[in-house]
Amino acid sequence: MEEAHRVFGYRRRSVALDVLVVATAIPALLIGVHLLAPESLRTTLILQHGDPEPLEFLTAAYVHSNVPHLRNNVTGYVAAIVMAYLLCLEAGRRRWFFATLGAILVVVPITVNVVSYTTFATMFPGAPTTRGFSAVVAAAGGSSTSPCSSCCEPPTRKAPRRLPAH
């Protein structure tokens, strides 16, 4: 009976709560920033290449230029993160998933925006801006393949066949 209340060995209630949180909290934040934050606040969160503030390298990922941009990133994030979460559960890597998600939400935006800043500085002498969650979406999708490669046994190799001695 206890096994009937489990998903990949985890309690069904915990899994449902996890999916609810990972699939709604970040999209709610992104939608809230876009729809509820005043334009003046959103402008301060965008990475301004002409005069960047250090925090903008993180916050720029959470701001979108328009509703289609936001919709595409939210849809991609939800699809990728649910797939990654379920694959991690199947691999017995729930803790790994949450540690990786934390890194994806902080380290990926900073890294991508630093690279973007240095690239744009050399290619475009003006002052472009950077915003969007696309790198995080890509990292979330890419993370779904990692747990399997780190937990599965490597294929066994048979010893080479020895030829009979002459």
Side-chain angles (χ1 to χ4, degrees):
M1 183 76 168
E2 176 66 26
E3 192 60 36
H5 297 286
R6 296 201 168 268
V7 177
F8 298 118
Y10 297 94
R11 289 182 308 157
R12 186 183 324 176
R13 187 176 197 155
S14 297
V15 171
L17 183 60
D18 288 351
V19 170
L20 180 69
V21 170
V22 274
T24 61
I26 298 302
L29 172 68
L30 297 173
I31 293 166
V33 166
H34 189 77
L35 298 179
L36 302 176
E39 181 66 32
S40 58
L41 174 61
R42 290 195 317 262
T43 301
T44 63
L45 300 175
I46 296 169
L47 176 58
Q48 306 285 345
H49 289 249
D51 185 26
E53 294 292 327
L55 192 57
E56 292 173 1
F57 287 92
L58 173 64
T59 61
Y62 296 90
V63 182
H64 292 82
S65 56
N66 54 44
V67 171
H69 182 207
L70 171 66
R71 181 190 61 235
N72 292 339
N73 278 331
V74 167
T75 302
Y77 168 80
V78 170
I81 210 65
V82 169
M83 179 180 62
Y85 176 73
L86 292 175
L87 287 171
C88 285
L89 284 187
E90 186 175 24
R93 298 291 187 130
R94 184 172 174 248
R95 186 178 293 171
W96 181 92
F97 170 81
F98 284 106
T100 302
L101 177 61
I104 286 172
L105 294 173
V106 176
V107 175
V108 168
I110 292 170
T111 304
V112 167
N113 284 323
V114 165
V115 170
S116 171
Y117 176 75
T118 49
T119 302
F120 286 162
T122 59
M123 296 176 72
F124 303 103
T129 60
T130 302
R131 70 188 102 195
F133 205 64
S134 300
V136 174
V137 172
S143 72
S144 67
T145 61
S146 297
C148 292
S149 63
S150 63
C151 71
C152 298
E153 294 294 325
T156 57
R157 291 180 47 177
K158 293 182 178 179
R161 216 174 64 177
R162 294 183 182 215
L163 297 174
H166 289 95

